[in-house]
Amino acid sequence: MNELELVEKAKSGDNKAFEELVKRTQNKIYNLGLKILGNKDDAADLLQETYIKAYESLPNFEGKSSFYTWLYRIATNFALMKLRKEKYKKISINEIKQASNGNYKLEISDWSNNPQIQYRNEELKEILNEAINSLPPKYKTIFILHDIEGLSLSEISEILSLSIPTIKTRIHRSRLYLREKLSEYFKKKGN
Amino acid sequence: MNCRKIIKLISDYIDREIEEVKREMIEEHIKICKKCESILNTTEKTIKLSKVIYKNKKVPKRLEKILYYQIRIRYKK
Ligand SMILES: [Zn+2]
């Protein structure tokens, strides 16, 4: 049975159909939670809250977007709320703007072929992970949805109710900020 | 185009969200500008690395049980 049929059945009160939709999407939503929120406990909360909310608001789901996009919307709203409440080391919007400003002294050594870049380089992963986590929530969420989860600009625009130019700007700034952090790492390592 | 403008367009270039003319201008520029070439290469690498630092996981069995319980107690009889 396809998604549309399952959604229709679930809306008319078929709980088995709803459970099938959960089954098909739960890993995606859980991983989104892990990536945005950074730990298992919060990802577990996100998972439960997303499906409880989805179940409760199912009668309002009009099918204008796909069920996936709709779920992502619920999940990212929850994640953003959670991130905003949290007190962790976030960088300022100004800092992130600076990193993408051409006037700013960008680190320009080309480390893209540095032999230190190995997918098993745990230190490098740690630095990057930390840098992603320090992005302001509205940047981090978009960066993860686009560059890591591979969602399209228009999907993200639907999920977050933001214009495509706004989304593009945030992706761009996030990338350049992260690039800068990695450049600092390679500089310290002596390139 | 100066470096500042090139850097502004780098993401559009990477995502192929760019007009042909601008794409060509960028390609011409990075042939002669080491700085912008480096920024382009390292930005692309940053994106690639970001994709591989997370390993996708399955919902743990215990959590799955809780999840279905949480949903089922809300079913209307
Ligand atoms: Zn240049």
Side-chain angles (χ1 to χ4, degrees):
Chain A
M1 210 178 294
N2 70 32
E3 183 194 288
L4 224 67
E5 292 170 317
L6 283 171
V7 170
E8 274 316 308
K9 283 200 163 197
K11 278 182 81 170
S12 64
D14 183 339
N15 294 329
K16 280 275 158 278
F18 184 71
E19 286 183 22
E20 179 60 27
L21 285 166
V22 178
K23 211 174 117 193
R24 289 187 189 183
T25 53
Q26 62 182 24
N27 288 331
K28 272 261 177 210
I29 297 297
Y30 181 60
N31 281 293
L32 183 72
L34 283 174
K35 288 167 194 168
I36 302 184
L37 297 170
N39 68 78
K40 285 181 195 163
D41 288 345
D42 286 340
D45 280 352
L46 175 138
L47 182 76
Q48 292 174 67
E49 293 301 325
T50 299
Y51 287 108
I52 290 168
K53 181 104 194 269
Y55 181 71
E56 284 167 352
S57 17
L58 196 61
N60 306 325
F61 175 63
E62 291 171 14
K64 281 183 194 152
S65 58
S66 75
F67 184 68
Y68 248 119
T69 314
W70 185 68
L71 272 184
Y72 266 86
R73 189 182 170 97
I74 299 174
T76 46
N77 280 336
F78 177 83
L80 279 169
M81 204 183 62
K82 195 126 191 161
L83 285 175
R84 284 176 183 142
K85 271 194 233 155
E86 261 172 37
K87 284 197 181 139
Y88 63 93
K89 220 179 88 222
K90 270 175 270 188
I91 55 154
S92 66
I93 304 279
N94 232 12
E95 230 175 306
I96 197 171
K97 279 185 187 162
Q98 271 189 347
S100 62
N101 183 336
N103 285 334
Y104 185 65
K105 201 185 124 286
L106 293 156
E107 267 305 324
I108 52 161
S109 74
D110 191 344
W111 45 262
S112 61
N113 288 311
N114 187 302
Q116 299 259 19
I117 302 180
Q118 281 168 7
Y119 299 136
R120 268 168 279 133
N121 182 341
E122 293 300 324
E123 198 186 5
L124 180 62
K125 281 188 196 173
E126 184 107 347
I127 300 275
L128 185 53
N129 195 20
E130 222 173 84
I132 294 173
N133 278 328
S134 71
L135 289 170
K138 57 184 187 176
Y139 285 79
K140 181 182 177 182
T141 308
I142 291 176
F143 177 77
I144 290 173
L145 288 173
H146 189 266
D147 279 2
I148 296 175
E149 293 291 282
L151 268 66
S152 72
L153 294 170
S154 60
E155 282 172 320
I156 299 171
S157 162
E158 252 180 67
I159 291 168
L160 294 168
S161 306
L162 289 170
S163 76
I164 288 183
T166 302
I167 296 166
K168 278 182 163 184
T169 304
R170 290 184 188 167
I171 294 168
H172 182 60
R173 287 178 179 161
S174 302
R175 286 171 174 175
L176 288 184
Y177 172 78
L178 298 173
R179 192 205 71 86
E180 192 73 9
K181 290 290 134 184
L182 291 181
S183 299
E184 285 168 13
Y185 166 78
F186 284 109
K187 197 179 180 187
K188 251 188 248 159
K189 284 260 146 190
N191 207 7
Chain B
M1 261 197 274
N2 62 28
C3 298
R4 216 185 146 183
K5 279 187 185 148
I6 299 287
I7 293 165
K8 255 193 168 164
L9 291 171
I10 269 183
S11 277
D12 285 343
Y13 177 80
I14 292 171
D15 296 332
R16 298 171 189 282
E17 288 267 334
I18 198 161
E19 301 153 47
E20 186 68 20
V21 199
K22 285 184 182 166
R23 192 178 63 81
E24 276 167 14
M25 277 200 252
I26 292 175
E27 279 165 6
E28 285 307 311
H29 181 93
I30 57 173
K31 272 184 203 160
I32 53 160
C33 178
K34 265 264 164 258
K35 178 185 161 185
C36 288
E37 191 195 18
S38 292
I39 290 171
L40 174 64
N41 288 343
T42 50
T43 303
E44 279 180 326
K45 204 73 189 189
T46 300
I47 300 166
K48 276 196 189 128
L49 281 170
S50 302
K51 281 193 214 300
V52 297
I53 59 169
Y54 299 100
K55 274 196 210 106
N56 278 325
K57 299 196 172 79
K58 278 193 172 160
V59 176
K61 281 280 167 258
R62 250 194 72 227
L63 175 58
E64 199 176 18
K65 269 192 187 152
I66 300 169
L67 172 65
Y68 286 88
Y69 173 76
Q70 286 293 337
I71 297 168
R72 283 172 187 157
I73 54 169
R74 286 169 171 83
Y75 287 161
K76 290 153 201 94
K77 303 224 168 64

